[in-house]
Amino acid sequence: MARPLEQSMGPEAMERATGRTHDGWRSVLTEAGARDWDHAAIARHLVEQHDVDGWWAQAITVDFEQACKGRLPGQRADGTFSASKTMTIPGEPLDALAAVASGVTARHGEAHGQNLTASMPNVRWRLPDGTRLAAAVQGRNKSGIPVNLTWEKLASAEAALLAKAELEEILTEARHGG
């Protein structure tokens, strides 16, 4: 299961980057009334009123929502969950993507879209249950091509755990030619 943001980004890192710790930002946002704001409003407030970089504003917002508003680790702002897994696949970028896409297609049917000329070529599926799957190639590393699979719009943390296991199976099969 996903960890709370504070466990993966310690208070020292937060303070070095933003000038405040997790607790410091939680106090600032609580005093501003952010418990009643949606995700976008909190992030916007941090950027506009505290001159926080957009990426850090998102991290602070997620941390605040997890600590003060009941957002679960791995949960998105809309209440759904997502799961992702990246694995290095040997070969050329489009071949690695094709191997992963073949595994997804065998389990979930034909893709609804793809962009093979993007800087990160990708293939996308809309599943009948309303969830979405996407495979994307990242830049080459020493041992091959990292391919990321992301499954979005999952209904629960339990569904995200099951999805992550399936993503790992698909990537492992593609890695081993299978």
Side-chain angles (χ1 to χ4, degrees):
M1 174 159 234
R3 297 181 305 167
L5 187 109
E6 186 174 25
Q7 287 182 9
S8 56
M9 179 186 302
E12 300 84 18
M14 177 72 76
E15 187 168 21
R16 266 193 316 275
T18 68
R20 289 188 172 90
T21 64
H22 299 272
D23 287 335
W25 282 114
R26 291 173 192 155
S27 294
V28 165
L29 290 169
T30 298
E31 289 171 17
R35 286 182 187 263
D36 298 325
W37 303 347
D38 68 13
H39 181 90
I42 297 168
R44 192 171 40 254
H45 174 81
L46 290 164
V47 170
E48 294 173 358
Q49 301 301 315
H50 298 280
D51 200 31
V52 174
D53 170 79
W55 189 90
W56 284 101
Q58 291 298 321
I60 294 165
T61 300
V62 169
D63 175 71
F64 178 76
E65 290 172 335
Q66 288 177 351
C68 302
K69 295 181 70 171
R71 180 174 174 173
L72 297 173
Q75 190 174 32
R76 309 213 16 121
D78 67 1
T80 65
F81 292 77
S82 63
S84 67
K85 180 74 179 162
T86 300
M87 192 175 288
T88 300
I89 310 293
E92 295 302 312
L94 293 181
D95 295 336
L97 181 61
V100 172
S102 176
V104 175
T105 298
R107 293 170 184 240
H108 297 288
E110 292 299 318
H112 82 274
Q114 64 181 19
N115 184 343
L116 302 180
T117 60
S119 61
M120 290 179 62
N122 61 79
V123 181
R124 301 170 307 283
W125 293 262
R126 288 187 188 121
L127 305 183
D129 64 359
T131 63
R132 298 185 309 221
L133 257 167
V137 171
Q138 300 173 353
R140 179 183 299 277
N141 66 28
K142 292 178 185 175
S143 56
I145 307 300
V147 180
N148 174 268
L149 273 175
T150 301
W151 203 332
E152 298 179 324
K153 302 286 184 188
L154 297 161
S156 67
E158 293 77 22
L161 279 174
L162 293 171
K164 188 155 187 135
E166 183 175 335
L167 298 178
E168 185 160 3
E169 289 173 12
I170 293 167
L171 288 165
T172 299
E173 288 168 7
R175 178 187 232 171
H176 298 294

